[in-house]
Each structure stands twice: as structure tokens, then as C-alpha cells.
Amino acid sequence: MKPLIETSALTETFRCLIAGKTEVVQSKGVETQKAFFTLLSWEQWEAARKQYDLADVPLADFMAGAVAMIGPAQDKGAISALYNPWQDAVLLLRWSAAREYGEERNPQIVQHVFLCGEAFRGEVRDPLSVATVIPPADKPLSVVIWEKVKATVNRFDTLYPQGGKLALHTAAWDLEPAMARAALRLKWWARLGEPQSQDLLRIQLIARQLRFSDRARLDKLFPDPNTDFFRRTWAELPAKVRQDLAPYGWYAVEGEKGREMMIVYILSSLPSRYLTVSLRTGQTPVMEWFDLTQASEALAIWNSKERK
């Protein structure tokens, strides 16, 4: 269990550093990305980023919403991954030994492979596949995300089971069309910052209410009777946890009765948990929240309802 826990902690610290969560990283005594890599893997990391024009902002966006997956973890090395379902991209990491010749060592990344979700799962790719950014008309966004998470976790567990070999299944980065999805996400935020846009203020005000409102206040803000479970369980979360809520995505369309909008928030210290707020003209706002570690269960419930 010790190598497993250590690998999980290392992967999370690495994620937080690139995502910009400096308070978490400083508490671990790590200040630079380079410290996580061996010299050779750092050079390869920088070269691959340059090849794909992977700048700091989209990389930080990836890390902010990425969920860790831990594969084989042993004293002689480990494999982990960071998966962001919103970009549908996977960063595979192979770590050096934590112990050699009876001595403790600081594991470092000796190999890294960044893949779009399609390449990782072995699927036929569509360069314009953006369903995790702009959901299709016939399927809710959360269902799309659950499907991607379930398929990706299953693939990872098959390739990298506990006790398996400490080797990545490929050595070449393959990020398209994930880069297109990342670029589309950045265009969102650019539009939010436009002087004529009122959406950013609305998103921030809703976030504040979600961070600090008690159950009674949540009932008034989101009175839909079908979402009582979500309001109750959200209000039961510790205040310290809810205050970590951050906007992570949004989209707006023209519906039959006017402009419709969905906002996605994540807990930045625990991005497996996300929350959505749907705003539709003439209807009460709807708030729901989910844990991606239960994506398979949520998807099974959804599919059972669809069959009825």
C-alpha cells in the first residue's frame, strides 16, 4: 500500500503545481516543474510541448480538471495517469524507483506520454469531436462525461493493472483532437472577458452562493423538486470543501424560449467532483453535482431510466 499512496500523492502534487495551486505545492516543498523529471525526461517534455504548441494556459486548464488514475506501484517504480474528461486527454507518467539498495529516494518522472482520449482508448477519431465541450442536442453533458470516464478508466485498468509491468504501452505523444477541445475552452473564457458580457459576473455570483449558502438558501435558489438530493448532499459538505469551488466551463445556446445556459464548476482540490447549474428562460434554475469516481454507477442509472 505504501508505494500506491506515495504515487497518488506525487501525482496530485504534480497536478497542483502545473494547475497553479501554489499553496498545496509549497507545503510539499516543491517549487518547479523540472524537479519532478529526470534530466532526459524533462528535455523530452519541453520538446514535446513545443512540438504541439502546448502553452502554459491550456496545460494548466488540463491539470485543473484532471483526475488521477494509479496503476502498478512498487518500490522499483510506478505508473500513474491524469485524465481530464472535459478535454478528453490523458497524461501517462512512469515514475522512477522510490527505494534502491535499501535507501529512500524521491521518485521522478522517467517517461511521459500525452494522448487524446480517442488514441488512448483505441477509438476511431474525429478531428471535430467536441462533445465534452459542447454537448450534443440529444444527450446531457454529464452523460457524455460519464461515458468518457468509464471507457477511459476501463482502458487504463486493462493496460496498467495493479501488479502489472512498469512499462507504458506507447512512447509517442498524440494529442489531436484534444488540442482543438482545449482551444475551444480557451475561446469560452476569452468571450467571458469581453466588456459587453455579463456572464462572468453571473457565474461568479452563483459560485459565491454555492460556496456559502445553507440548505434553506439552496432550496430558494434551486427549487426544482426533482433535485432535492443534490441540494441536501451539497449542503452537507464541509464549508472548507465547498469554498474550493471554482468555475470550469460554460455554454450558452438560443432555446425555444430564449437564451439557455449551463455552468460547470469543479472543486479545485478534488476535481473528480463537479457541479452544474442550468439556467433556462421561464424555468427554475437547476443544480446538480456528481463524483466522477462513481461515473459507471451514474451511467448505469441513466441508461436504466432511458430504457423505461
Side-chain angles (χ1 to χ4, degrees):
M1 285 296 295
K2 187 175 181 181
L4 190 67
I5 294 170
E6 290 174 342
T7 303
S8 179
L10 268 173
T11 304
E12 177 62 10
T13 304
F14 179 65
R15 182 191 76 83
C16 287
L17 175 64
I18 300 182
K21 290 183 65 64
T22 55
E23 69 282 2
V24 175
V25 176
Q26 288 172 354
S27 68
K28 303 292 185 180
V30 181
E31 298 181 357
T32 65
Q33 295 181 32
K34 191 174 182 179
F36 280 94
F37 296 84
T38 63
L39 179 59
L40 177 59
S41 67
W42 172 254
E43 292 175 350
Q44 293 169 338
W45 172 261
E46 290 292 278
R49 283 188 58 185
K50 184 176 181 180
Q51 176 187 347
Y52 278 92
D53 195 23
L54 182 55
D56 290 343
V57 173
L59 181 59
D61 179 64
F62 168 86
M63 291 295 184
V67 180
M69 300 182 290
I70 310 301
Q74 308 159 16
D75 285 350
K76 61 183 180 181
I79 289 176
S80 67
L82 288 160
Y83 174 58
N84 183 310
W86 313 96
Q87 290 188 16
D88 193 18
V90 186
L91 174 60
L92 298 170
L93 302 169
R94 182 166 65 87
W95 299 86
S96 64
R99 293 163 191 81
E100 284 187 342
Y101 308 111
E103 295 183 0
E104 301 278 342
R105 295 181 178 272
N106 291 324
Q108 291 180 296
I109 297 167
V110 295
Q111 187 182 5
H112 43 76
V113 179
F114 222 152
L115 302 170
C116 63
E118 297 92 332
F120 178 70
R121 295 185 297 267
E123 299 170 354
V124 176
R125 72 183 64 194
D126 176 358
L128 300 178
S129 175
V130 293
T132 63
V133 182
I134 302 176
D138 61 344
K139 188 179 295 185
L141 175 63
S142 283
V143 175
V144 175
I145 296 299
W146 299 338
E147 290 175 343
K148 299 298 183 185
V149 170
K150 179 182 178 181
T152 302
V153 170
N154 288 346
R155 177 66 168 164
F156 182 83
D157 289 344
T158 298
L159 289 173
Y160 307 109
Q162 293 298 320
K165 295 181 179 179
L166 297 173
L168 300 185
H169 72 288
T170 181
W173 282 33
D174 187 354
L175 271 179
E176 297 180 4
M179 291 299 295
R181 292 187 284 264
L184 183 56
R185 287 181 52 81
L186 294 183
K187 287 183 179 180
W188 270 355
W189 300 113
R191 290 208 315 272
L192 282 178
E194 294 174 351
Q196 69 273 22
S197 175
Q198 297 297 312
D199 289 329
L200 181 57
L201 178 60
R202 179 185 296 185
I203 288 170
Q204 291 171 334
L205 289 174
I206 293 173
R208 180 172 178 80
Q209 294 291 346
L210 290 166
R211 293 186 193 111
F212 299 105
S213 293
D214 58 16
R215 171 65 190 276
R217 178 63 176 162
L218 290 174
D219 287 343
K220 291 181 180 179
L221 291 170
F222 308 102
D224 187 320
N226 297 317
T227 58
D228 177 78
F229 170 80
F230 298 107
R231 297 192 303 273
R232 174 176 56 81
T233 52
W234 182 256
E236 290 172 352
L237 287 177
K240 185 176 181 180
V241 173
R242 287 199 292 150
Q243 289 171 20
D244 198 33
L245 193 73
Y248 193 63
W250 70 285
Y251 74 94
V253 297
E254 288 300 324
E256 294 181 358
K257 297 182 179 181
R259 192 167 184 261
E260 299 180 357
M261 184 174 178
M262 173 179 278
I263 311 165
V264 177
Y265 300 90
I266 61 171
L267 290 174
S268 57
S269 62
L270 195 63
S272 65
R273 297 183 181 182
Y274 74 95
L275 183 150
T276 64
V277 173
S278 300
L279 306 172
R280 296 181 177 88
T281 302
Q283 299 182 33
T284 57
V286 175
M287 182 272 279
E288 299 174 301
W289 75 280
F290 303 97
D291 188 339
L292 289 178
T293 62
Q294 299 175 338
S296 293
E297 293 85 346
L299 186 60
I301 293 172
W302 170 263
N303 288 335
S304 66
K305 290 181 178 178
E306 285 291 284
R307 287 193 293 268
K308 292 181 180 179

